Amino acid sequence: MYSERFKASLEAVEKNREQNTGFEPQRMSAEQKEEILKKYHPDHREDKFATLKVGKNKDDKVPTELCDMLSAHSRIAGRSIDLDNPDYDVDVLIIGGGGAGASAAIEADNAGASVLVVTKLRMGDANTMMAEGGIQAADKPNDSPAIHFIDAYGGGHFAAKRELLSKLVCDAPDAVKWLSDLGVEFDKAPDGTMITTHGGGTSRKRMHAAKDYSGAEIMRTLRDEVYNRGITVVDFTSAIELILDENGAAAGAVLLNMETKELLVARAKTVILATGGAGRMHYQGFPTSNHYGATADGLVLGYRAGAKLLYADTLQYHPTGAAFPEQIYGALVTEKVRSLGAKLVNAKGEVFVHPLETRDVCAASIIRECGERNNGVDTGNGLGVWLDTPMIEKIGGAGTIEKRIPAMMRMFAKYGIDIRVEPILVYPTLHYQNGGLDITADCMTGVENLFAAGEVVGGIHGRNRLMGNSLLDIIVFGRSAGKNAAEKSRSVKTGKLTLDHVKKFEGELDAAGIETQLVSPKLLPDYNRKGKIL
Amino acid sequence: MEKTVNIFLFGKKYEVPENLTIMTAMEYSGYQLVRGCGCRNGFCGACATIYRIKGDRELHACLACQTKVEDGMYIATLPFFPLVKQVYDIEKIPVNEQVMMQLYPEIYACVGCSACTKACTQGLNVMQYIAYAQRGDFEACANESFDCVMCGVCSSRCPAGISHPQVAMLARRINGKYIAPDCEHLNDRVKEIKDGAFADLLADLMRKPVDELKELYNKREIEK
Ligand SMILES: Cc1cc2nc3c(=O)[nH]c(=O)nc-3n(C[C@H](O)[C@H](O)[C@H](O)COP(=O)(O)OP(=O)(O)OC[C@H]3O[C@@H](n4cnc5c(N)ncnc54)[C@H](O)[C@@H]3O)c2cc1C
Ligand code: FES
């Protein structure tokens, strides 16, 4: 139930619903898209970016908050750490227990390697657990990996590394099959046909889902499998610095017990960074859809050890974060809501953008609607536009919402909003780190024996990612990183362990005249006493 | 001024704005959370919490990230509950009732008190899905339990010591792997790719100048 404040606008939405439901808004031309992005997308707000003064990406622009972390002190600066008696000694060290890390662990275990997974919170307290919409794979007769490639390449503004994208789309059906064989319950018709929908920017219906708990279903299954295999998982333990050997190859990590603050050392023949995204950095003050531990740690760890970043200046702002009520501000309203037929409607009840434009274009359109055009709805806690969910039941029939997006229905019902009959208010939320560590198709970073997979990687999607391609990339590249790191570990002869690169980096900060009190990686955001998720 | 309410975190009183969730109220009160906080959005089950409103007999369970504070709330978080997870090999597991009997025999000790269902933070009919598991009806158990976030509150209330979320996890994996219908178009496509059916097409795309790819993208046909 909405209060008086929303009445006039709500009436306009209801009045136009019948007509809006049938209305097919025009898609933007390439030029129109470019223009709206330049003017309204947060990635183009130059004053919110800073130039890196140290490291492999010196002179590149990245978000100011990230620049601060990449130019901050090590958490172990000036401390001496005993590297000669490691607490763990394994073939493959995997940092991060999300979907990419778990996939890597299973494949490395398959390949016979001894595996250690360390993760900041619990295994599965991760962005993977929160994915709602689904996973793409071109497995229908009217579709092909080539069409999938074109969709993703264009959606990413023709900036993806083609060899990575090609691997993504070609390995996609096998990734879905792998998950299915592990017991992931994809939505299927009685004859076994996958129930697939569009996502923003797709030209074929290739979004596979498990209701709107797609990521949770994948994550809990992978986690269960990791435990079944007896793989060692150490939770509430963060990597705070990579360890190299005397030859400059990755050879382990310094770990921090998040509860006792004890420091530990893990030695490994190969290391996989699978630390996920950065939503909790709250770039430009945006709210976020991400989990509590998404603080770009992997970028910091890799960067200090000498790895290169690619497209670290581009973030994805999901167009539909919840704008109301305040308690769920920034929480994700899955794109599937639009896939199923709900349209974006302004305060006057007008549809102002095609609901399935790519995310960046949709987000920019909402920002324009609420800004310059002054057609936003004042929620009392900011601005928003309507997402007219009742359209879904008009199109798909009564019961569609409960069956296809139960998590959404539950999230709003807790605050007295029945999305089957009432629309919801949305505004862009910081959602995904498009950029990250630069890798080869074998998941190798520029640092010997250091692999990376998942959201910590940049370049697979270019400068914007399509819905459903991230769950896909964590499986495809997670598995690949696991296999390759295990394979590589067989021939590695680790030299003497060292943290000299950390010292060297501190020296570079000095030389660049950077004075800062900050330490990184950030590990957790600080919400103390602010009482607000910002 | 914002309206405030009094809450009791582990028995200690704090005054907090009324529009906060239990989780943000803890942070407002000065806690820096490490335990009991994962997704912050109702998906991971890290933030299981029990509370009682002053003067009320009933004990409630909830997810701290999804529940608004109320005046007189006595709050204790339950960031960990010792669920029992049995290990098994999904490739070799027999798909019959016996498997539950072997791995989770305690489900047959269910006394039907329904405490699990009452406590479920997701509003699931937990006791019912355990009943399906007892009968070896994995599909029904999987469907009934699908929205489970494995927070463990049900198990904390169970006199029979059942680890409900783990029982459901097993049922869902068996259902997903063995009982759900096999997907032919998926199997076909995997094989086509293995056989190299798309290799030339992709190789061609890899070589094309960007402008040609732009052209292809801008002119692509979109399935209705
Ligand atoms: C709300 C939401 C909805 C989404 N919906 C979709 C969707 O429908 N389809 C889709 O394709 N994608 C979706 N995504 C994106 C996708 O889920 C993520 O990009 C992807 O799951 C990332 O997986 P990952 O394994 O790389 O990272 P994560 O799953 O985030 O795992 C990273 C792990 O590393 C841990 N970690 C971080 N730093 C450290 C450290 N220093 N030391 C140790 N451990 C550390 C973290 O705590 C975490 O457990 C969604 C994302 C969100 C947030
Ligand atoms: S923190 Fe994940 S469910 Fe509350």
Side-chain angles (χ1 to χ4, degrees), chain A residues 175-211:
Chain A
V176 170
K177 184 160 168 52
W178 185 68
L179 291 172
S180 187
D181 288 346
L182 282 170
V184 169
E185 300 187 287
F186 287 108
D187 296 341
K188 287 180 184 172
D191 68 350
T193 305
M194 292 281 180
I195 298 175
T196 52
T197 51
H198 270 302
T202 57
S203 69
R204 295 292 183 278
K205 295 183 180 170
R206 72 170 79 85
M207 193 70 59
H208 303 60
K211 297 195 190 169

Side-chain angles (χ1 to χ4, degrees), chain B residues 33-149:
Chain B
L33 301 176
V34 176
R35 286 263 169 192
C37 179
C39 68
R40 303 181 71 101
N41 267 308
F43 286 96
C44 76
C47 64
T49 294
I50 47 178
Y51 69 90
R52 174 175 273 148
I53 307 288
K54 196 171 185 170
D56 190 353
R57 209 169 53 88
E58 201 180 342
L59 193 63
H60 301 270
C62 69
L63 297 174
C65 68
Q66 299 290 296
T67 310
K68 245 172 104 165
V69 289
E70 287 174 52
D71 197 41
M73 219 179 206
Y74 279 80
I75 296 162
T77 59
L78 194 67
F80 174 79
F81 189 80
L83 294 178
V84 175
K85 178 195 148 40
Q86 302 296 355
V87 300
Y88 55 90
D89 182 344
I90 188 71
E91 296 300 331
K92 298 199 184 120
I93 200 159
V95 184
N96 57 34
E97 276 164 72
Q98 269 75 47
V99 65
M100 283 292 172
M101 187 69 96
Q102 278 160 18
L103 293 177
Y104 295 108
E106 64 279 5
I107 64 174
Y108 296 96
C110 169
V111 295
C113 69
S114 202
C116 52
T117 299
K118 276 189 214 131
C120 179
T121 58
Q122 291 284 83
L124 303 181
N125 192 342
V126 183
M127 199 170 84
Q128 182 63 56
Y129 81 59
I130 291 299
Y132 289 137
Q134 288 171 342
R135 269 182 253 156
D137 189 342
F138 301 114
E139 189 181 350
C141 179
N143 291 337
E144 195 76 36
S145 70
F146 190 81
D147 296 3
C148 172
V149 294

Side-chain angles (χ1 to χ4, degrees), chain A residues 122 138-139 143 151 162 181-182 185 188 198 203 205 224-225 228 259 292 326-327 331 528-529, chain B residues 19-20 27 30-31 33 35 38 41 44 85 88 146 173 175 177 181 185 189 206 208 220 223:
Chain A
R122 304 174 312 168
D139 60 4
D143 201 357
D151 284 353
R162 292 192 201 180
D181 288 346
L182 282 170
E185 300 187 287
K188 287 180 184 172
H198 270 302
S203 69
K205 295 183 180 170
D224 195 60
E225 183 63 18
N228 276 351
E259 299 189 296
Y292 190 42
E326 191 187 333
Q327 291 83 6
N528 252 345
R529 290 201 175 276
Chain B
N19 57 359
L20 301 182
E27 290 171 334
Y31 282 80
L33 301 176
R35 286 263 169 192
N41 267 308
C44 76
K85 178 195 148 40
Y88 55 90
F146 190 81
R173 286 191 71 183
N175 188 47
K177 182 171 174 66
H185 64 81
R189 182 53 50 84
M206 296 282 287
K208 269 199 195 329
R220 83 215 144 112
E223 178 182 1

Side-chain angles (χ1 to χ4, degrees), chain A residues 498-514:
Chain A
T498 150
L499 286 164
D500 280 352
H501 60 289
V502 177
K503 234 187 257 159
K504 199 172 131 233
F505 197 86
E506 290 284 332
E508 281 178 44
L509 293 179
D510 255 356
I514 295 171

Side-chain angles (χ1 to χ4, degrees), chain A residues 211-502:
Chain A
K211 297 195 190 169
D212 57 350
Y213 284 100
S214 305
E217 169 64 1
I218 290 172
M219 187 69 238
R220 65 195 179 192
T221 302
L222 293 176
R223 176 175 61 193
D224 195 60
E225 183 63 18
V226 166
Y227 289 145
N228 276 351
R229 287 161 176 264
I231 295 168
T232 312
V233 177
V234 183
D235 56 7
F236 292 101
T237 299
S238 294
I240 56 169
E241 215 62 78
L242 292 175
I243 298 171
L244 302 182
D245 74 359
E246 58 201 333
N247 309 313
V254 179
L255 311 175
L256 172 73
N257 180 322
M258 295 293 285
E259 299 189 296
T260 64
K261 307 292 175 204
E262 183 189 7
L263 290 182
L264 298 159
V265 170
R267 178 164 73 184
K269 297 192 172 116
T270 54
V271 179
I272 303 175
L273 277 171
T275 52
R280 295 281 157 189
M281 298 288 285
H282 293 297
Y283 296 133
Q284 303 189 25
F286 271 86
T288 184
S289 62
N290 286 190
H291 87 286
Y292 190 42
T295 50
D297 297 0
L299 270 48
V300 174
L301 297 177
Y303 198 66
R304 243 182 232 144
K308 203 170 141 245
L309 307 177
L310 184 61
Y311 304 141
D313 58 334
T314 127
L315 281 301
Q316 182 168 80
Y317 296 83
H318 195 292
T320 61
F324 182 85
E326 191 187 333
Q327 291 83 6
I328 52 172
Y329 186 51
L332 186 73
V333 174
T334 170
E335 188 163 309
K336 212 165 145 199
V337 175
R338 281 174 289 138
S339 305
L340 291 171
K343 293 198 176 84
L344 290 159
V345 179
N346 67 21
K348 296 190 207 149
E350 303 159 343
V351 173
F352 59 89
V353 64
H354 193 290
L356 295 180
E357 291 286 6
T358 49
R359 287 181 172 172
D360 46 1
V361 170
C362 266
S365 302
I366 295 172
I367 292 171
R368 174 174 69 181
E369 211 62 20
C370 291
E372 191 180 283
R373 289 189 174 172
N374 214 3
N375 284 333
V377 181
D378 178 4
T379 68
N381 183 43
L383 293 164
V385 296
W386 297 104
L387 180 57
D388 201 7
T389 44
M391 287 180 176
I392 295 173
E393 305 251 309
K394 275 186 167 303
I395 295 167
T400 309
I401 288 184
E402 186 169 9
K403 185 143 167 257
R404 303 290 293 280
I405 45 173
M408 284 297 100
M409 195 172 117
R410 177 176 285 120
M411 179 162 99
F412 284 91
K414 285 203 166 134
Y415 301 97
I417 296 168
D418 183 348
I419 71 170
R420 293 172 298 188
V421 295
E422 295 168 300
I424 55 183
L425 285 158
V426 296
Y427 193 78
T429 187
L430 178 53
H431 187 57
Y432 183 77
Q433 172 173 272
N434 291 320
L437 296 167
D438 191 9
I439 59 166
T440 64
D442 298 328
C443 300
M444 280 186 299
T445 67
V447 177
E448 185 76 19
N449 298 338
L450 180 62
F451 296 74
E455 197 171 333
V456 73
V457 166
I460 302 170
H461 311 282
R463 304 186 67 88
N464 177 53
R465 168 191 64 99
L466 300 188
M467 164 192 181
N469 274 351
S470 174
L471 279 182
L472 177 60
D473 96 45
I474 65 173
I475 304 303
V476 167
F477 290 88
R479 290 180 68 192
S480 171
K483 280 181 209 165
N484 295 336
E487 168 68 33
K488 184 76 199 286
S489 73
R490 282 196 215 123
S491 60
V492 170
K493 291 267 170 294
T494 307
K496 195 171 162 47
L497 303 194
T498 150
L499 286 164
D500 280 352
H501 60 289
V502 177

